[in-house]
Amino acid sequence: QVRLMESGGGLVQAGESLMLSCRWSGAISGSVFVINAAGWYRQPPGKQRELVGTITAGGRTNYADSVKGRFSISRDNAKNTVYLQMSSLKPEDTARYYCTAGSFVETSYYPTSTWGQGTQVTVSS
């Protein structure tokens, strides 16, 4: 069973950048494995959780229209980490951000049932 831990959130002003990290680890200390696909979700205050973007095992990425051109997902398997680079942040990007491990069935991403605690991003105008 994989464990996920997000970090890097904070309070920034509109137009600034922020990088979130998501480190995965196995339930057994010292176990080594690489997750397949990964995805970043966010949940704005009072709204439903939404998919921000995904990255395949091979590094192919896909993004929601609302963040396309501003956000970028990457991964470093050697560090067991997936990143979400956010630039040109807007107040509407304010949300709690979560990463997930998952897999693709054709073009659809399916997260596992394991979610991290998330990290809060607040963008002031």
Side-chain angles (χ1 to χ4, degrees), residues 6 9 19 22-23 29 32 42 55 60 75 89 102 122:
E6 303 92 339
M19 175 177 275
C22 172
R23 191 174 189 280
S29 177
V32 178
R42 67 184 181 185
I55 185 166
R60 186 166 57 219
R75 62 190 294 166
L89 282 162
T122 303

Side-chain angles (χ1 to χ4, degrees), residues 4-84:
L4 303 165
M5 181 174 292
E6 303 92 339
S7 63
L11 172 64
V12 296
Q13 292 188 335
E16 293 185 340
S17 299
L18 204 59
M19 175 177 275
L20 306 183
S21 299
C22 172
R23 191 174 189 280
W24 70 79
S25 61
I28 300 176
S29 177
S31 63
V32 178
F33 65 94
V34 177
I35 61 172
N36 186 4
W40 282 95
Y41 287 78
R42 67 184 181 185
Q43 186 164 19
K47 297 184 179 180
Q48 288 189 334
R49 195 173 290 177
E50 59 182 4
L51 180 61
V52 173
T54 59
I55 185 166
T56 68
R60 186 166 57 219
T61 55
N62 192 41
Y63 303 95
D65 288 342
S66 58
V67 305
K68 201 169 291 184
R70 300 188 298 119
F71 288 16
S72 176
I73 299 175
S74 61
R75 62 190 294 166
D76 186 338
N77 292 338
K79 295 182 178 180
N80 288 9
T81 303
V82 175
Y83 302 97
L84 177 64

Side-chain angles (χ1 to χ4, degrees), residues 81-99:
T81 303
V82 175
Y83 302 97
L84 177 64
Q85 175 68 51
M86 306 182 293
S87 60
S88 301
L89 282 162
K90 305 174 181 180
E92 50 263 44
D93 294 318
T94 294
R96 193 162 189 85
Y97 284 72
Y98 302 85
C99 71

